[in-house]
């Protein structure tokens, strides 16, 4: 999905629900997808796109995303020691 700011700032619970509900016709999607086809990335996938040479956003030069916010993007992964917490990446600095 190119639109990195489709839902603006959200809680983790809301991000999970909105990702699961994404479908073609919303957020600029024209891929024929249906609700349930999309998901939040796992923490490795999300951290794998970070380029620490860049900041605000900490993404590779020429990345394909639009509307990138320099704030947190949630992963699907909860924190093992306390599953009421979840992992995210802050795209201001990539942490």
């Amino acid at each position: 999905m190119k639109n990195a700011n489709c839902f603006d700032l959200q809680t983790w619970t809301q991000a999970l629900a909105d990702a699961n509900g994404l479908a073609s016709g919303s957020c600029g999607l024209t891929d024929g997808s249906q609700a349930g086809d999309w998901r939040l990335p796992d923490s490795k996938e999300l951290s794998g796109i970070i380029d620490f040479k860049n900041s605000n956003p900490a993404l590779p030069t020429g990345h394909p995303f639009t509307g990138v916010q320099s704030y947190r993007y949630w992963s699907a992964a909860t924190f093992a020691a306390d599953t009421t917490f979840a992992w995210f990446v802050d795209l201001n600095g990539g942490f």
Side-chain angles (χ1 to χ4, degrees), residues 1 19-38:
M1 187 164 116
N20 189 50
L22 274 173
S24 192
S26 61
C27 296
L29 291 174
T30 59
D31 61 351
S33 61
Q34 298 179 10
D37 289 346
W38 286 86

Side-chain angles (χ1 to χ4, degrees), residues 43-69:
S43 55
K44 288 182 182 179
E45 290 169 330
L46 189 56
S47 62
I49 65 172
I50 299 302
D51 184 343
F52 288 106
K53 292 180 273 182
N54 294 325
S55 63
N56 197 20
L59 293 172
T61 303
H63 66 80
F65 305 110
T66 62
V68 177
Q69 60 183 355

